[in-house]
Amino acid sequence: MSFYWVKTNSFIKKVFSKYCWDIPNNEKKIYLTFDDGPTPEITDWVLSELKKFDAKATFFCIGKNIKANLALFEKLITDGHSIGNHTMNHVNGWKIHTNEYIENVKNCAEVLDEQEKTPRRLLFRPPYGKIKKAQSKILRNLGYKIVMWDVLSADFDQSITPEKCLENVTKNVKSGSVIVFHDSIKASPNLRFALPRTLHFLKENGYKFDIIH
């Protein structure tokens, strides 16, 4: 398994200060985010769990998954969640030419724009968190807010236990944290254990759920 930080190092946040890593506040607001959907059954289940806790989240969607699951995508919007761009095909910015990468992001944007109800928020999260400086600069010049994270649940990591996935969040969350889960098939076993318990933990500890604007 590749190396990753569960809690993003403060030095990284300073070096890459033009990215959004967290959203500091004095109201104990946190920001749940979900990458890679919409995915049949899994995203539906996530929406059901969020509703139980009256929790709103930000979903970074893959363009091809939106096209394949339009009704499910519309449900994200009607339920009051925020939507972000996660490229058309989940491409790794480090492994693709900048022009091709930007085109992939624009293709996803076109899919988002085709859906009349999509909130007009220019939010972008690079798949794998990997993006070149030139790619970042172009997207920011186009008006995008590049959203990274403060806490990574690591639900995608099939080598960790569901209990560890839960602990990754509960031991590292603070007011203003941007937390990453994935509404994907790969993450599903860890997600189904960790998400309900995370929501309960956050509610019990006085945290409030907010969307990224």
Side-chain angles (χ1 to χ4, degrees), residues 126-137:
Y128 315 102
K130 294 179 178 178
I131 184 170
K132 295 174 185 173
K133 185 176 180 180
Q135 295 163 349
S136 164
K137 185 176 181 180

Side-chain angles (χ1 to χ4, degrees), residues 156-190:
F156 58 84
D157 186 347
Q158 296 170 318
S159 72
I160 69 169
T161 65
E163 290 81 6
K164 177 59 178 170
C165 179
L166 172 62
E167 182 182 291
N168 285 343
V169 180
T170 59
K171 292 286 180 69
N172 292 291
V173 66
K174 65 176 184 179
S175 180
S177 285
V178 174
I179 304 166
V180 180
F181 286 102
H182 295 76
D183 50 329
S184 67
I185 293 170
K186 182 180 180 182
S188 179
N190 283 335

Side-chain angles (χ1 to χ4, degrees), residues 1-212:
M1 185 65 210
S2 299
F3 171 80
Y4 55 84
W5 272 303
V6 166
K7 180 74 171 178
T8 302
N9 186 285
S10 59
F11 176 73
I12 293 296
K13 292 180 182 180
K14 288 177 183 176
V15 171
F16 297 98
S17 59
K18 291 178 180 176
Y19 301 160
C20 172
W21 297 96
D22 48 25
I23 305 173
N25 63 85
N26 297 317
E27 304 168 66
K28 290 197 81 171
K29 289 182 181 178
I30 56 88
Y31 302 83
L32 293 175
T33 67
F34 295 85
D35 291 1
D36 298 355
T39 308
E41 296 183 12
I42 298 165
T43 304
D44 262 328
W45 175 82
V46 168
L47 291 175
S48 176
E49 292 300 309
L50 292 174
K51 194 167 284 187
K52 290 177 186 177
F53 292 86
D54 194 28
K56 301 303 180 190
T58 302
F59 288 79
F60 289 90
C61 298
I62 297 172
K64 67 175 183 178
N65 288 348
I66 297 171
K67 292 188 77 170
N69 305 285
L70 285 176
L72 185 53
F73 176 72
E74 288 179 3
K75 191 173 180 184
L76 292 175
I77 298 166
T78 55
D79 279 8
H81 301 290
S82 185
I83 304 296
N85 185 320
H86 202 46
T87 74
M88 190 69 186
N89 305 101
H90 203 262
V91 291
N92 183 332
W94 292 3
K95 297 181 178 180
I96 189 172
H97 190 276
T98 292
N99 290 344
E100 201 176 336
Y101 188 78
I102 299 303
E103 192 62 29
N104 204 280
V105 175
K106 287 182 176 179
N107 287 343
C108 181
E110 287 174 9
V111 173
L112 290 170
D113 288 342
E114 286 169 6
Q115 314 313 311
E116 292 181 6
K117 296 178 181 178
T118 307
R120 293 299 187 268
R121 297 189 182 99
L122 289 174
L123 304 176
F124 177 73
R125 174 172 285 156
Y128 315 102
K130 294 179 178 178
I131 184 170
K132 295 174 185 173
K133 185 176 180 180
Q135 295 163 349
S136 164
K137 185 176 181 180
I138 291 170
L139 291 176
R140 286 184 287 108
N141 285 341
L142 289 172
Y144 281 96
K145 176 188 285 189
I146 298 178
V147 182
M148 295 299 201
W149 56 82
D150 175 51
V151 178
L152 194 64
S153 71
D155 52 356
F156 58 84
D157 186 347
Q158 296 170 318
S159 72
I160 69 169
T161 65
E163 290 81 6
K164 177 59 178 170
C165 179
L166 172 62
E167 182 182 291
N168 285 343
V169 180
T170 59
K171 292 286 180 69
N172 292 291
V173 66
K174 65 176 184 179
S175 180
S177 285
V178 174
I179 304 166
V180 180
F181 286 102
H182 295 76
D183 50 329
S184 67
I185 293 170
K186 182 180 180 182
S188 179
N190 283 335
L191 178 70
R192 288 182 183 274
F193 178 89
L195 181 59
R197 291 165 177 82
T198 295
L199 290 166
H200 183 266
F201 172 87
L202 293 171
K203 200 83 170 181
E204 285 290 297
N205 285 276
Y207 287 100
K208 300 171 185 177
F209 306 98
D210 203 357
I211 59 173
I212 301 173

